[in-house]
Amino acid sequence: MGEKWRQRLPQIRRQVRRERLLLLLLTLVGLIALVSGVAWVPVVLAWALLVIVVLLRKPDDATAPVPVVVEEDVLNYDPLPPIAATLGAYDTPGFVLANDASVLFQNRAAEVAFGSLPFGSHLTARIRSPGILDMVRDAITSDEPDQLEHSERLPSERVFIARIAPIPVVEPEGMSISADRRKLYLLSFRDISELRRLDRMRSDFVANASHELRTPLASLRGFIETLQGPAKGDPAAQERFLSIMLEQATRMSRLVDDLMSLSRLELKSHIAPDQRIDLKPVLSHVRDALLPLSDDLGVEIRMHLPQEPVEVLGDRDELVQVFENLIENACKYGQDGKVVDVHLKGGGDEPAEVIVTDRGPGIPSEHVPRLTERFYRVSVADSRSKKGTGLGLAIVKHILTRHRARLIVRSQVGEGSEFTVRF
């Protein structure tokens, strides 16, 4: 019985604070009655009865704190549900752990990333990394946050920043928290796989660009030194070397131009163009611009265009660059077939397609998936002999990504290649 009244004391104190003015008024009235000569026994009984009524009275204001607290809630307040509700809204994998590293909650992102764990299971049932388990154990022991970088190899390579930190648990007034809920910890995983991939791409890009520029620069330096030395008085050698130097300088200029194009495209890759462009005049313009090259190579460019316009949302200059790259490549690398066919299809309710087909030697299947990578070449010697920079198809891919279009490559060795741009 004494324990029951001890538990109700916080409620009684709150009610006294809330009704202190009324209680003071009742006490004052009782004192006045006593001073006036009224018998003290009925005055005290009446005063006590009124005080009890006041203390048990429910507040009129709906916004006032509810004075009645269920005894079970007072003893067993659980801080886990609000923490779980908040963590459940996050798209970052997260676990709520008890002080023995058992899993009290995991959000949907954690289930997708690591699989589902039954309530109360130990963390080792799903995560076997010694580094993470050591970090969790040390954090629980020291009650300090910690983090490390964690890699997953299967089913695919992923990199996470794993972090554990204690969750501040505040005991509400008049309530107590069980011992197993006083210490909770949040183990979260931030996926940085894409950042790592971009870092590798950036490093590879810088290395490849440096290599591509180093070769013509070394060639220029060698010829300049030769012209200043042994060939200083040889007009024939000077003319030959200057011609080669001009070719190397032109190659570097093309490479720098392509690098600048890629940089510009990356800056606005998230902005889709909104102009309506008719592809028929675009393709006709590209054919006219490439006629001198095709004549030199002995290749005929055949256009297969419909009668009606075929419009897409796009940027005219960028689309010209796309089709110049594709048709120029078809002329250079498929010149043995002597013919390049360009088909324009679609329009109206059908998706627009531009198909560039050559009858050259074709591309081995293992190279096809990597054709749009920067500086990737099926044959380095063949590409450089045709004055390629290794960036043409990478530029095509970036432009088409901005246009929400796809590049589809089909090729068989000995049967030529087909490049399809589908909007």
Side-chain angles (χ1 to χ4, degrees), residues 99-332:
N99 57 7
D100 60 352
S102 60
V103 177
L104 301 180
F105 176 77
Q106 64 178 139
N107 62 6
R108 176 60 181 164
E111 292 180 1
V112 172
F114 301 101
S116 179
L117 273 172
F119 179 86
S121 300
H122 197 271
L123 188 64
T124 53
R126 186 65 62 193
I127 296 178
R128 307 295 178 86
S129 167
I132 292 180
L133 297 178
D134 289 344
M135 179 187 71
V136 170
R137 183 175 58 253
D138 293 344
I140 291 176
T141 302
S142 65
D143 209 33
E144 294 291 335
D146 197 3
Q147 68 178 37
L148 56 76
E149 187 173 302
H150 169 67
S151 299
E152 292 272 342
R153 298 294 179 185
L154 296 173
S156 61
E157 184 177 359
R158 293 179 299 171
V159 183
F160 296 95
I161 295 294
R163 184 178 189 274
I164 186 168
I167 302 175
V169 177
V170 179
E171 191 172 77
E173 182 183 355
M175 298 186 181
S176 61
I177 301 175
S178 57
D180 62 339
R181 291 292 193 269
R182 291 182 182 274
K183 292 285 188 180
L184 299 179
Y185 299 86
L186 174 61
L187 175 63
S188 60
F189 293 83
R190 181 162 57 91
D191 194 340
I192 59 170
S193 307
E194 186 67 15
L195 293 176
R196 288 288 180 267
R197 188 181 69 83
L198 291 174
D199 284 342
R200 287 196 298 269
M201 287 179 58
R202 188 179 297 110
S203 299
D204 293 343
F205 175 70
V206 171
N208 288 326
S210 301
H211 175 74
E212 293 293 329
L213 287 170
R214 187 182 297 116
T215 301
L217 282 172
S219 177
L220 283 173
R221 180 173 180 175
F223 285 123
I224 290 172
E225 291 175 350
T226 303
L227 289 173
Q228 290 177 335
K232 189 173 184 178
D234 187 346
Q238 290 178 0
E239 184 176 354
R240 185 172 71 256
F241 291 160
L242 286 172
S243 176
I244 298 173
M245 290 168 65
L246 177 61
E247 182 180 339
Q248 294 296 330
T250 303
R251 178 186 166 195
M252 281 195 298
S253 178
R254 287 198 305 271
L255 180 60
V256 170
D257 288 343
D258 285 350
L259 290 173
M260 294 297 293
S261 293
L262 273 175
S263 298
R264 286 192 296 267
L265 289 170
E266 288 174 344
L267 287 174
K268 57 181 180 180
S269 60
H270 62 288
I271 305 174
D274 56 3
Q275 298 179 1
R276 298 206 65 82
I277 305 296
D278 185 359
L279 293 178
K280 286 178 61 179
V282 170
L283 291 172
S284 298
H285 169 78
V286 171
R287 178 199 55 194
D288 295 340
L290 292 176
L291 277 178
L293 173 66
S294 63
D295 290 342
D296 289 342
L297 297 174
V299 176
E300 180 185 0
I301 301 175
R302 295 177 179 174
M303 307 296 290
H304 306 273
L305 307 178
Q307 294 295 324
E308 63 279 359
V310 178
E311 292 186 341
V312 297
L313 291 176
D315 182 297
R316 185 182 186 280
D317 292 337
E318 290 184 1
L319 292 177
V320 167
Q321 193 172 8
V322 165
F323 298 123
E324 276 186 347
N325 270 302
L326 294 179
I327 298 174
E328 182 178 347
N329 283 349
C331 291
K332 289 180 178 178

